[in-house]
Amino acid sequence: MNNTGKPESSNVNTIDIKAELASIEKTRQTFMKAVKESDGETVGKMVTKDVKTISPGSSDWSEMYKISKNQGPFPYDSINMFPKETIIASDSIAYDFGVSHVYYTNSEGKVVELKDNFLAILKKGKDGIWRLHREVASSNVTE
């Protein structure tokens, strides 16, 4: 792989990299908006049916999972994602690496910001939509 978003395989000429990167960005924007609006139905449409996520295990992240009013794998009030590298591996698999800033309201009613590095595997569905399939995140952030 390289840092241009292009696979090193022979099928590079059959994939419109620019269009696929734009489609992934649309998924990312839809996901961030749905989280902010507490739209669980749309969040559910932005992940595969068998999505697996590993969240940061630090104490501040554990606290958020414990007290957040939103439950499930995305318990925060909002998220801003800053991709550093997105690679289209094939016509149906891509990976996304970057930094996220998530915000939640703590038990005192104050908004708390947490950061993480993420590495996500995305799968493109038969409907042409890229979805989160696997994610590993770390609270050891390198920006």
Side-chain angles (χ1 to χ4, degrees):
M1 294 294 161
N2 54 43
N3 290 330
T4 63
K6 295 180 181 176
E8 293 177 350
S9 68
S10 61
N11 67 353
V12 68
N13 295 328
T14 63
I15 299 172
D16 183 343
I17 298 297
K18 189 174 181 180
E20 297 303 345
L21 291 172
S23 181
I24 289 170
E25 180 60 25
K26 181 177 180 185
T27 290
R28 193 181 297 114
Q29 293 298 322
T30 301
F31 177 79
M32 289 188 296
K33 182 177 186 241
V35 168
K36 188 171 190 162
E37 295 174 354
S38 298
D39 180 355
E41 184 178 337
T42 298
V43 169
K45 292 177 182 176
M46 297 289 91
V47 300
T48 61
K49 291 188 186 317
D50 58 343
V51 65
K52 303 275 189 234
T53 63
I54 298 173
S55 63
S58 63
S59 60
D60 51 352
W61 280 82
S62 295
E63 181 66 16
M64 177 191 61
Y65 278 94
K66 196 182 319 177
I67 68 164
S68 180
K69 65 179 169 42
N70 300 319
Q71 295 301 306
F74 314 109
Y76 24 86
D77 300 332
S78 65
I79 181 171
N80 292 319
M81 300 167 71
F82 304 96
K84 304 293 182 194
E85 179 180 63
T86 302
I87 302 295
I88 308 298
S90 74
D91 62 349
S92 61
I93 299 288
Y95 79 79
D96 207 22
F97 172 77
V99 176
S100 290
H101 298 206
V102 302
Y103 303 88
Y104 79 99
T105 305
N106 71 11
S107 57
E108 290 86 42
K110 294 182 181 172
V111 175
V112 176
E113 176 187 37
L114 300 175
K115 296 179 183 179
D116 70 79
N117 275 109
F118 64 86
L119 177 60
I121 297 172
L122 307 169
K123 281 179 103 174
K124 186 176 179 183
K126 290 181 181 7
D127 59 2
I129 296 173
W130 288 96
R131 292 179 173 83
L132 177 64
H133 182 60
R134 302 286 186 263
E135 180 189 29
V136 177
S138 172
S139 58
N140 294 325
V141 179
T142 56
E143 291 213 41

